[in-house]
Amino acid sequence: MADGVEQRLRELGDFIREQRESARLSLRGLSDRAGISNPYLSQIERGLRKPSAEILQQIARGLAISAETLYVRAGILDPRDADGAPPTDLEHAIRAARDLDDREKQLLVDLYRTLRRPGEGVQPGH
């Protein structure tokens, strides 16, 4: 693998491990929740395997985080919105919220992006 790809895989694995540990899940606990084998998950966390989008979705579901977050970290999805702007701190906070499901997170991000576009947001007094 190229150095850039190897680095991205290590960073993705580190991120997954950090999310797993912050959720207080063991490696086996997450592998059971995600429906993937314990050794394969271990290899992903160590940056030795490049998981498919489907596997990332299963891991995200097991961690109760947005699959989009993992897609961006894996380089599958561009982190920029439709206007080419990078995500804001608020968007990252919404995506990290553990008490919202993926649909609710996407609704909030979409609403926020609509409100911050000049001329398209809610006008004061209307």
Side-chain angles (χ1 to χ4, degrees), residues 58-108:
Q58 290 174 245
I59 292 170
R61 194 175 308 119
L63 290 169
I65 63 172
S66 165
E68 182 181 46
T69 301
L70 294 182
Y71 294 161
V72 169
R73 293 205 175 248
I76 295 172
L77 187 65
D78 187 348
R80 299 178 180 276
D81 67 16
D83 297 330
T88 64
D89 289 341
L90 178 57
E91 290 176 65
H92 285 294
I94 291 169
R95 297 261 183 237
R98 294 191 177 277
D99 56 338
L100 300 173
D101 64 31
D102 287 345
R103 186 186 62 79
E104 293 166 331
K105 291 175 186 180
Q106 190 60 51
L107 284 170
L108 285 172

Side-chain angles (χ1 to χ4, degrees), residues 12-123:
L12 173 63
D14 289 344
F15 178 75
I16 291 170
R17 182 174 34 262
E18 289 166 9
Q19 293 299 307
R20 176 177 59 76
E21 289 172 350
S22 73
R24 296 192 169 128
L25 286 170
S26 67
L27 193 65
R28 181 160 307 282
L30 178 56
S31 71
D32 288 344
R33 288 175 83 174
I36 60 177
S37 76
N38 192 45
Y40 186 54
L41 179 58
S42 175
Q43 291 172 342
I44 291 169
E45 284 192 357
R46 289 181 287 143
L48 302 176
R49 293 285 187 152
K50 182 179 181 183
S52 67
E54 183 179 326
I55 294 294
L56 290 173
Q57 184 176 35
Q58 290 174 245
I59 292 170
R61 194 175 308 119
L63 290 169
I65 63 172
S66 165
E68 182 181 46
T69 301
L70 294 182
Y71 294 161
V72 169
R73 293 205 175 248
I76 295 172
L77 187 65
D78 187 348
R80 299 178 180 276
D81 67 16
D83 297 330
T88 64
D89 289 341
L90 178 57
E91 290 176 65
H92 285 294
I94 291 169
R95 297 261 183 237
R98 294 191 177 277
D99 56 338
L100 300 173
D101 64 31
D102 287 345
R103 186 186 62 79
E104 293 166 331
K105 291 175 186 180
Q106 190 60 51
L107 284 170
L108 285 172
V109 169
D110 290 345
L111 176 62
Y112 172 67
R113 288 178 178 171
T114 298
L115 291 174
R116 70 173 216 215
R117 285 189 196 121
E120 292 185 32
V122 176
Q123 301 300 314

Side-chain angles (χ1 to χ4, degrees), residues 1-17:
M1 282 186 268
D3 287 340
V5 173
E6 289 175 357
Q7 179 65 28
R8 184 179 289 273
L9 290 176
R10 278 192 301 273
E11 290 172 1
L12 173 63
D14 289 344
F15 178 75
I16 291 170
R17 182 174 34 262

